[in-house]
Amino acid sequence: GSDSSVLLSEDQFLCSICLDVFTDPVSTPCGHNFCMICIKTCWGDSQQCYCPLCKEKFTKRPELKVNTTLREVVDHFKKKSVLDKPEVLCDDCTGVKQKALKSCLDCGVNLCKSHLESHYTIPRFKNHKLINPVKNLEVYICQKHEKPLELFCRDDQTCVCQFCTEGDHKNHNTVSIEEESGQKKTQLGKTQAEVQQMIQNRLKKIKEIEHSVEIRKRNTEKEISDSVKVFTALMRSIERSQAELLELMEEKQKAAERQAEEFIKDLEQEITELKRRDTELEQLSHTEDPLHLLQIYPSLCRPPHTTNWTDISVDPHLSVETLRNTLCKLQKSLNEELIKTLNEKIRESVDVTLDPDTASPYLILSDDGKQVRRGDKKQSLSDNPKRFTYYCNVLGKEGFSSGRFYYEVQVRGKREWDLGVAKASVNRKGKITLCPKNGFWTVILRNGNEYRACADTPVSLSLRENLQKVGVFVDYKKGLVSFYDVEARSYIYSYTGQSFTEKLYPFFSPCANDGGKNSAPLIISPVSNTK
């Protein structure tokens, strides 16, 4: 809707007594308005009163009430006029200078309400050009003719005085500053609408990008699920590639999210700039300073520097074909590097000896601490906090809380076994489930040919040949536990991205004898180079 304060000039909000903007305006019976305190002071205690403006006499003193509608309009006008309006002081005051109410372009001075009175009462001053007070008064006066700049030359796009139109700007297309200012305000309104539309377009683009990221996230989760089907069709030696590929997919997702965050950050920055431009245009559309409007109009109406976002988006799709191609490359690389990797792991080999204080009473350890098998009877051993008493498990003597270590275990002739590492605080007295969340990182054999990695969700392992000797490698800092087929020189399985916070110990279980079918021992073997 229209704003009443925009349709009225500041003069219509001035009290004719104090020459300042109304405070608690009241109306006399003759229809004129004054500040409540001004009219009461003017009338004093007299019962017979008159209007200070039109001199109409009132036989009975009027009962004065605040004109609430006018007060609301005046308060709104005050808020508008206060925005970014610098305080200008009177040039004629001596001593403490009062706030200027008007600037006279003919006199070239800023005047407070008391010094301005002569411009309303003395005839020769009544035709002077008065404007709202400004600090830089000289820019409103023609430097050549020392006359008020009242006209705008459209040919030269500059403000001129009346004398300029008889000289350098003769026969030029000139209009009043007010007329040109009105047209510019209309154009500012159009520019403001364009800026506001640009803001809406960018808000819409943010929603599009966020939606694309969400779609991509769902597609990524679906493709990760589908990738499991692809992996099962490949040789077991590619298990490590699965972990690496999933990491790669997650990195791509994070990269897409980072890209989206950058897009959104740029869009929000542009929106902030456009909102600032919108505010400037809003304020300028209400300015009572036409010269200032014309001076900064060209810079404000130039389109702001922004990005064309029409064709910019985040790709929500992830290709399964890309997945397969990456797998093939990783498989080829894995086969080439496997022997080299095993030899590097061998350099990290440690001398592992079994710890009898942790061994289940059903286990029999060799004198050198390198072999363990399941006995037929429970031995009478002293119980201690370190000993496994429910399951037939045993740990290595030395624990590791940093660096890397590697050891090998012969499993030939066995139908069941458990191997890997365990953290120091695992449950040694009751039932346990082998999995990382319980502190175990293991690979196991059941029924002679069923190999499993005991992840939090168990993973079946398809091996071309039964294992004879297993290599176990740990990189504590990287959170990595890997298992290798030493004889076939191939990779079995890896736990990646683990977070280790306490000592890790080599972990062994020869499992039950199964009527003599599984009586062969687990043997910690000396490590030698792979050819």
Side-chain angles (χ1 to χ4, degrees), residues 213-226:
V213 171
E214 183 60 32
I215 292 175
R216 184 187 176 95
K217 186 176 182 181
R218 289 198 296 266
N219 287 343
T220 299
E221 290 170 352
K222 182 179 182 300
E223 295 304 337
I224 289 175
S225 175
D226 291 344

Side-chain angles (χ1 to χ4, degrees), residues 395 399-402 405 421-428 436-441 474 476-477 499-505:
L395 300 180
F400 301 87
S401 56
S402 63
F405 62 94
V421 292
K423 66 181 183 181
S425 61
V426 292
N427 177 12
R428 308 187 188 202
K437 68 181 180 182
N438 290 335
F440 297 91
W441 293 267
V474 176
Y476 193 95
K477 184 177 181 181
S499 180
F500 301 134
T501 57
E502 55 185 278
K503 276 191 175 183
L504 298 179
Y505 290 84

